[in-house]
Amino acid sequence: MRSARTLTAIAAALTGSLALAACGGGGGGTGSNEQSEDIALRMTIWTSNEDHLALFNGIAEDYMAANPEVTSITFDPLPFDDYTSTVTTQIAGGNAPDLAWVLENAAPDFVASGALMPLTETLEATEGYDYDDISDSAAALWKDGDELIGYPFSTSPFVTFVNDDKLAEAGLPSGAEMLADGSWTWEDVSAAGASVKETTGSAGFVVRDFDYLNWDYLSTVWNGWGAEPWSEDGTQCTFDSPEMVEAFEFLHDAAFTSGSMPGPGTSADFFAGESAFTITQISRANLLPEDGFAWDLLPLPQGPDGEYAVTGQGGIGVIAQGRNTQAAAEFLAFFTNPENSAELAAYFPPPRESLLTVDVLSAANPLLTPQQIEDVVIPGIATGQVRPSHTDAAQIAQQTRASLDDLWTPGADVAAVLGQTCGSISSLLEP
């Protein structure tokens, strides 16, 4: 989504340097390859996982061995909850990283503000890169016209993990049996969840990471009703649409009437065996216990609008104010080439169409069966709609969360609250 409004803290941080992004020069640094030796690169990331870091450092060592002018490449983990604000603070304070991971909800701000360097020319010129292998749908959020501004290094579909032991304990069919007999719908999942709650005391379905705060995770539900928070061009609030009202009425009933979803202040961890279903990204499969319960992986339940898929994305961009923009772009080209993308696929589902195969993704995800990858993971990546994003994302998120607080009480007027939500964010959407 794009807006002609003044662009958030990112644009403010980059005032005076946006023109540099358009011409390919370095924002406050050497830009091209004026500095021919002792180049130090830093990439901010939001993971501190030792396996991830070992993989990244291995790729970096291979690059430095072939490019001795780059003497160090540092991966700088930042806390996820404050990640975007920390990166923008570093940019504003003159301590910009050379490269940065970017969350999908911040992508419109980073792309539209000039915070990131264009990548297309560098990637297309890199021998063996195969630029055309990048999926158009995966790249859409990260483009300005035909120019790729950020590389979508991870496109992770949201899926449904099912605890079949919990369903059996409640005398219910397994998830696969529900899918086979045509009862894999939100209404059926909610009914099963309510039965599990009543008979076992465990939770029914959990939208992981929602926690009655992070409302955009509910797109994994409302997309099944054909609902959207705003119009396609991002200028009109549609939280008050009939489709969204119906979706939130379903969620409100699940939380306060049927009890199929934990209510506010109540938590349940699927991976600890505390719920029958959870909606989360495929990357959470590593949380499954080795000797735990019988589980399955299924697509998102069908909604009234039919089948659908939702993905989360992370991009990598070269920061325009970095000291070594061209060197950073060339390292990004190496980091995301076909060979290294295949290695990264072990943790980050790739945007390369050639790698979206059962063989590649099975090797990267040994806990999943080839059938689960073919039936759930690959279609989710190929057809999934990315979670909601917009310029001024932080301010919109804060206003929306505050407005939706009124929804999470028994007897709330769902339509009235969603109308109130549009009233609170409409001015932020206007062009």
Side-chain angles (χ1 to χ4, degrees):
M1 304 298 179
R2 299 291 295 274
S3 170
R5 294 170 42 81
T6 301
L7 292 171
T8 66
I10 299 172
L14 297 176
T15 298
S17 67
L18 299 187
L20 296 172
C23 64
T30 60
S32 53
N33 268 340
E34 295 174 15
Q35 183 175 335
S36 60
E37 57 184 18
D38 295 334
I39 297 174
L41 299 178
R42 178 170 66 94
M43 180 193 295
T44 57
I45 58 179
W46 58 72
T47 178
S48 56
N49 180 285
E50 292 183 0
D51 292 334
H52 297 172
L53 293 174
L55 174 58
F56 300 162
N57 285 321
I59 294 173
E61 288 170 5
D62 290 344
Y63 184 76
M64 289 186 289
N67 297 271
E69 72 278 8
V70 179
T71 56
S72 71
I73 300 174
T74 303
F75 298 96
D76 184 9
L78 302 176
F80 181 83
D81 290 344
D82 302 317
Y83 178 82
T84 299
S85 62
T86 302
V87 172
T88 55
T89 298
Q90 289 184 4
I91 295 171
N95 184 35
D98 298 287
L99 304 100
W101 284 6
V102 181
L103 289 161
E104 76 271 277
N105 62 2
D109 277 329
F110 274 86
V111 169
S113 68
L116 304 178
M117 299 293 295
L119 298 173
T120 305
E121 182 177 355
T122 298
L123 299 184
E124 287 185 333
T126 299
E127 185 177 356
Y129 190 81
D130 195 6
Y131 180 82
D132 291 337
D133 190 34
I134 300 172
S135 161
D136 289 339
S137 61
L141 185 62
W142 307 92
K143 282 191 168 184
D144 186 3
D146 292 331
E147 184 70 55
L148 189 70
I149 305 297
Y151 176 86
F153 77 96
S154 179
T155 300
S156 184
F158 285 85
V159 297
T160 311
F161 286 95
V162 184
N163 184 330
D164 282 330
D165 284 351
K166 195 66 65 177
L167 293 177
E169 186 180 351
L172 299 170
S174 69
E177 289 169 337
M178 293 175 67
L179 180 66
D181 69 15
S183 59
W184 189 244
T185 70
W186 270 115
E187 293 296 338
D188 293 313
V189 166
S190 184
S195 181
V196 167
K197 174 67 174 176
E198 181 179 359
T199 58
T200 73
S202 296
F205 74 86
V206 175
V207 180
R208 190 178 177 91
D209 297 317
F210 162 49
D211 296 328
Y212 292 89
L213 295 172
N214 303 308
W215 54 269
D216 53 333
Y217 281 96
L218 294 180
S219 61
T220 58
V221 180
W222 74 51
N223 278 24
W225 274 255
E228 298 282 353
W230 38 71
S231 58
E232 185 174 355
D233 64 4
T235 63
Q236 300 294 321
C237 177
T238 54
F239 265 107
D240 56 358
S241 69
E243 296 84 3
M244 189 69 86
V245 171
E246 289 181 12
F248 270 95
E249 286 177 341
F250 165 79
L251 289 162
H252 192 274
D253 177 83
F256 297 102
T257 304
S258 71
S260 59
M261 180 175 80
T266 305
S267 62
D269 183 357
F270 173 87
F271 299 101
E274 296 172 355
S275 70
F277 310 95
T278 194
I279 306 299
T280 191
Q281 286 174 282
I282 186 64
S283 55
R284 298 299 180 90
N286 66 336
L287 297 177
L288 288 162
E290 291 184 8
D291 297 313
F293 48 84
W295 62 272
D296 203 351
L297 181 78
L298 297 179
L300 297 176
Q302 185 172 329
D305 196 49
E307 296 180 356
Y308 66 103
V310 178
T311 64
Q313 275 196 323
I316 303 175
V318 173
I319 301 299
Q321 283 192 330
R323 292 182 176 86
N324 303 288
T325 54
Q326 186 57 36
E330 290 170 1
F331 172 64
L332 189 154
F334 181 79
F335 191 79
T336 62
N337 68 24
E339 295 75 22
N340 287 324
S341 290
E343 295 295 321
L344 292 168
Y347 307 103
F348 308 102
R352 289 183 171 274
E353 294 179 347
S354 64
L355 297 179
L356 297 181
T357 67
V358 172
D359 288 344
V360 170
L361 295 178
S362 291
N365 298 274
L367 287 175
L368 306 183
T369 68
Q371 197 68 43
Q372 289 169 335
I373 290 173
E374 183 173 10
D375 293 346
V376 182
V377 179
I378 292 176
I381 295 173
T383 66
Q385 182 175 347
V386 181
R387 282 197 307 147
S389 61
H390 203 289
T391 50
D392 296 315
Q395 193 171 0
I396 291 171
Q398 181 179 7
Q399 294 285 353
T400 302
R401 181 170 62 247
S403 182
L404 291 178
D405 279 346
D406 292 339
L407 185 65
W408 307 122
T409 58
D413 186 332
V414 173
V417 172
L418 294 179
Q420 167 187 306
T421 302
C422 274
S424 68
I425 68 171
S426 286
S427 63
L428 300 173
L429 306 181
E430 292 174 358

